[in-house]
Amino acid sequence: MIETERLLLRPHMVEDFDAFKAMSQDTEVMRYIGREPSTVDEAWLRFLAHFGRWQIQGYGMFAIIEKTTGQFIGDAGFSDFHRDLGPSFDPFHEAAWVLSTNGQNKGYAFEAMAAAHIWLEKQFKPDKTVCIISPENIPSIKLASKLGYQETGPGRYKDADVIMFERICS
């Protein structure tokens, strides 16, 4: 578990599913992720993947919990999503974050990802991390920049344009 000023980052628990499902079914949340809002079974399979990533990779996405309310407000962390985007992307830890509409516009994504980067660097000492973002997702592009990511070029993932980023670790 990671504790920040306002958040707890911890492994997902079954009790998080209803809030995760609601987030996954929110059109506003899903619009930049490249998918339609999830059905219940799609949300369940995506939720279960969080547990598997930690078991197989030794890292994954943290559940973001707002300390004052105890509510699940999103996911933040790293994974190997097997995106097949090439040798300058695929071998590296991929950063990802998604916040419910409740958790947006409060600085939570930066707070969570800054803490997740510190954790990853202590645990794995990576040379760099990567991420992809929809060109229309200006808030996430600004967040990536604030976290130290640099644009490496355009890409395509699942028939959608993306911007590829990398962050060189110290």
Side-chain angles (χ1 to χ4, degrees):
M1 184 180 310
I2 300 170
E3 187 169 348
T4 69
E5 181 182 338
R6 302 177 296 163
L7 306 171
L8 294 176
L9 278 63
R10 60 154 171 77
H12 290 78
M13 299 186 313
V14 172
E15 296 80 15
D16 298 329
F17 179 66
D18 286 339
F20 178 88
K21 177 180 67 175
M23 181 178 74
S24 299
Q25 292 178 329
D26 185 325
T27 304
E28 280 301 302
V29 172
M30 293 292 111
R31 73 181 167 147
Y32 296 127
I33 298 177
R35 64 171 53 104
E36 294 294 317
S38 299
T39 62
V40 174
D41 62 329
E42 289 167 343
W44 180 246
L45 289 175
R46 286 187 43 244
F47 184 72
L48 291 176
H50 289 311
F51 298 88
R53 286 186 185 100
W54 283 97
Q55 288 293 315
I56 292 170
Q57 299 172 163
Y59 63 97
M61 302 296 287
F62 293 98
I64 305 171
I65 308 301
E66 190 176 45
K67 282 169 52 172
T68 57
T69 64
Q71 291 184 329
F72 171 92
I73 57 166
D75 299 322
F78 300 89
S79 190
D80 177 351
F81 294 106
H82 289 269
R83 296 198 195 273
D84 196 25
L85 292 173
S88 66
F89 190 92
D90 294 333
F92 302 97
H93 295 90
E94 182 180 346
W97 54 87
V98 58
L99 275 80
S100 66
T101 51
N102 266 15
Q104 294 178 12
N105 302 312
K106 297 177 182 177
Y108 287 162
F110 177 76
E111 189 173 328
M113 285 306 298
H117 276 92
I118 292 167
W119 176 87
L120 184 81
E121 290 176 18
K122 284 181 183 174
Q123 297 296 314
F124 293 94
K125 299 176 180 27
D127 295 327
K128 74 176 183 177
T129 58
V130 296
C131 67
I132 59 172
I133 302 172
S134 165
E136 292 85 30
N137 191 345
I138 303 306
S140 279
I141 291 170
K142 288 179 180 178
L143 174 59
S145 177
K146 190 173 178 181
L147 290 166
Y149 282 88
Q150 300 289 318
E151 185 177 330
T152 59
R156 293 278 298 166
Y157 181 67
K158 290 190 175 181
D159 297 324
D161 291 329
V162 295
I163 302 172
M164 299 170 72
F165 294 86
E166 70 178 16
R167 178 180 182 270
I168 304 303
C169 301
S170 48

